[in-house]
Amino acid sequence: MVKHQPLQVYERQLCLSCLTGIYGCRWKRYQRSHDDTTKWEFLWSLILFFTFSLLLVWFYFWWEAHNDYNEFNWFLYNRSGEWSDGTVPILATTAAGFTYIAFLMILALCHIAVGQQLNLHWLHKIGVSAALLTTAIGFISVNQTWGEEWAVIPVSLQATGPFLHLGALVAVTALAWLVAGQIACTEKIRFQVVVLLLYLSVLLGLYMAPLSITSPCIMDHANLTPRPDVIGHQGAPMLAPENTILSFQRALQMNVSGLEADVAISFDGVPFLMRDRTLRRTTDVGKVFPARQLDDASSFNWTDLHSLNAGQWFLKDDPFWTVQSMAQREVMLVGNQGVCSLEQLLRLASLHNQTVVFSLRRPPHRHPCYHSWINDTLEVIRLSGIPQHLVMWTPDWDRGQVRQVAPGLQQTSVEKLPPQVLHQQGISSLLLRYSQASPYDIRWVNSNVSVTLYTVNEPWLFSVLWCSGVSSVSSEAPNILRKVPYPIWLMSPDEYLLLKKYIFNIWRLSGMHSYNPEQIMLSAAVRRSSRDVNIMKEKLIFSEVSNGVGSAEDLYMENGFDYYNNEGISH
């Protein structure tokens, strides 16, 4: 009597064919094997795992570096002379490569789970090699050209570290059955010991990790400091062209506590706002003065600067992808912006009683104001009528003379100096990049001087610095930070511990109740030609029948037995 296999068996065989076919182009049953993986294929499995780990770090880096995408694009512009969003191709290739390698990793783990021999197809080997090579080149390129950005990883881990730790614990604990199967299926004692010790070391390290996690966001809610003040860096450059009057007006509408700008000196001694060395990116100098578009911005007099348009480039390049959401009236306002002078900015800030901080660029050596640039700037501050205590003075040149001429200015350093030096120079505030100050530095310095960190655009970074106790931040996105009334990562230590217990209780209740020792041993032993395999199968079948899973006949067929002939069905 011939008994047809149930539908479940065919479905399982189809899934197995897809698994081995996609991974190693072994679509036919006779092409599959339960033999041990060869050393060559084991090496390729290690290469695949290393590539996945490298891509995971690369992907995480670019995900968290979103805070500094504009800085990256500006850096590319200074190297190439053309403005473009260089992050788009990087993100697209990173997402595609990570998805592909992660898919291969899942297929490899499934091979191990069902006891199939790993045999990566040569096309996938080329793909893995290409992903590994391009990612390594990417790491080297970033390290050589944008090395300071690597600091975003330890900063971001202050926020994501506790959650990544929980995720890693769940993932490694869930792999316990797979590790147990591999230990059981091998007859080499040395291999068993190495795998077991390696797994237990990783698991122990993860369980001990909370002892080294020092996230400022794990704190009692009562200890949270007041919300940091937000200073509009170049105004609100996501809403209007940078360093223009409209940009600063939009920043004031976002309830900022101060305005920050980049200042240069014109050929006739007028301080004006300009970030770049040339006018080519943010004005129409190529149209009005085509022969001078590569000249230093300081070589133009104020009359020429005032005749340039400083808004059309924003509509054309759309550096923050915000132009499409603007109303027609707003587009017209943006398109009619001109170059802004420092005096205009100071008068606007004085009118709204806002702090002003600016970086002052010294003119070239043969410039008429090369020696008088400090005095020229101080004179503009005096004529604008702004109270001196509202101006944060950052240039390090002639601080002693500056204090004599304008004693009310907030002396601000852009370097992290020793406390005694800060005291000797009369410095009352620091303006630092967000990666230059640790939570400990912030808490210690805040007791002596005020600290402003730049450039903070993302809510997660703003939340971390808020929990760290920073007094103010400089941001290109005050419109985004305005929507963060409370730190998004804040948890008390008790809440963190409760979350860990909750996650593992859910995992235990959903997965551990179906744990079956015979199932693990059976999966591990599929490659052994021993009568013990049949004994384990029978124990598994009868244990499932007693639990009401199905009939003995169906379970015999699903586990590869001919119910009537009491023989294993050949694979």
Side-chain angles (χ1 to χ4, degrees), residues 53 176-177 205 223 261 273 310 335 339 365 378 384 462 501 509 514 544 548 560:
S53 303
W177 67 273
N223 296 331
L273 309 187
V339 177
H365 183 70
L378 290 174
S384 69
F462 182 68
K501 291 181 178 179
L509 292 174
S514 60
E544 292 184 347

Side-chain angles (χ1 to χ4, degrees), residues 103-397:
F103 181 62
L104 289 182
M105 276 294 299
I106 294 174
L107 292 179
L109 291 175
C110 291
H111 272 69
I112 296 174
V114 299
Q116 288 291 321
Q117 184 186 55
L118 291 171
N119 187 20
L120 188 64
H121 193 259
W122 64 269
L123 283 177
H124 288 320
K125 291 176 181 177
I126 294 177
V128 171
S129 301
L132 178 60
L133 181 61
T134 54
T135 306
I137 293 175
F139 269 90
I140 295 173
S141 300
V142 170
N143 192 57
Q144 292 179 346
T145 59
W146 204 30
E148 65 177 6
E149 188 61 20
W150 289 118
V152 75
I153 293 181
V155 173
S156 67
L157 288 176
Q158 295 177 22
T160 61
F163 301 95
L164 293 177
H165 170 245
L166 293 175
L169 272 177
V170 172
V172 173
T173 306
L175 290 175
W177 67 273
L178 189 60
V179 175
Q182 289 302 297
I183 293 176
C185 75
T186 183
E187 298 177 354
K188 299 178 180 179
I189 302 299
R190 181 178 300 179
F191 179 80
Q192 291 176 329
V193 172
V194 170
V195 172
L196 182 61
L197 289 179
L198 181 62
Y199 177 78
L200 291 179
S201 298
V202 173
L203 195 61
L204 180 62
L206 287 174
Y207 275 102
M208 299 298 291
L211 297 177
S212 61
I213 293 179
T214 57
S215 172
C217 295
I218 300 180
M219 61 182 299
D220 291 327
H221 296 241
N223 296 331
L224 183 65
T225 59
R227 187 178 190 272
D229 294 330
V230 177
I231 297 175
H233 181 67
Q234 300 172 351
M238 290 187 178
L239 306 178
E242 64 185 54
N243 286 323
T244 61
I245 282 294
L246 181 62
S247 181
F248 295 114
Q249 290 173 342
R250 293 293 177 264
L252 292 173
Q253 291 175 356
M254 298 297 112
N255 298 324
V256 298
S257 61
L259 303 172
E260 183 180 358
D262 307 285
V263 179
I265 308 293
S266 71
F267 199 76
D268 51 351
V270 178
F272 67 99
L273 309 187
M274 185 59 56
R275 181 185 188 184
D276 300 356
R277 281 282 180 183
T278 69
L279 303 170
R280 195 158 68 101
R281 180 176 68 93
T282 57
T283 70
D284 60 347
V285 66
K287 178 181 178 181
V288 181
F289 303 105
R292 303 180 61 190
Q293 58 179 327
L294 297 179
D295 291 355
D296 194 290
S298 297
S299 65
F300 291 78
N301 60 46
W302 175 243
T303 301
D304 293 338
L305 292 169
H306 193 60
S307 67
L308 298 176
N309 182 286
Q312 288 296 329
W313 74 272
F314 184 85
L315 300 176
K316 175 179 174 291
D317 294 338
D318 195 7
F320 293 97
W321 305 77
T322 55
V323 172
Q324 292 184 347
S325 61
M326 291 183 176
Q328 187 61 33
R329 179 178 177 275
E330 189 71 10
V331 170
M332 293 180 61
L333 284 174
V334 168
N336 291 325
Q337 292 303 299
V339 177
C340 180
S341 68
L342 176 60
E343 184 176 0
Q344 290 176 293
L345 171 62
L346 294 175
R347 292 186 183 277
L348 179 65
S350 178
L351 180 64
H352 293 84
N353 197 35
Q354 298 292 320
T355 300
V356 174
V357 54
F358 56 86
S359 58
L360 184 60
R361 185 170 67 244
R362 189 172 191 175
H365 183 70
R366 297 184 178 181
H367 194 279
C369 302
Y370 179 75
H371 297 288
S372 62
W373 62 301
I374 293 291
N375 290 330
D376 293 338
T377 306
L378 290 174
E379 181 64 15
V380 170
I381 294 175
R382 185 185 67 82
L383 294 175
S384 69
I386 186 173
Q388 291 185 4
H389 71 275
L390 292 179
V391 179
M392 297 174 64
W393 182 264
T394 61
D396 282 329
W397 289 271

Side-chain angles (χ1 to χ4, degrees), residues 392-404:
M392 297 174 64
W393 182 264
T394 61
D396 282 329
W397 289 271
D398 299 327
R399 281 196 183 270
Q401 179 185 352
V402 171
R403 285 200 300 269
Q404 292 179 1

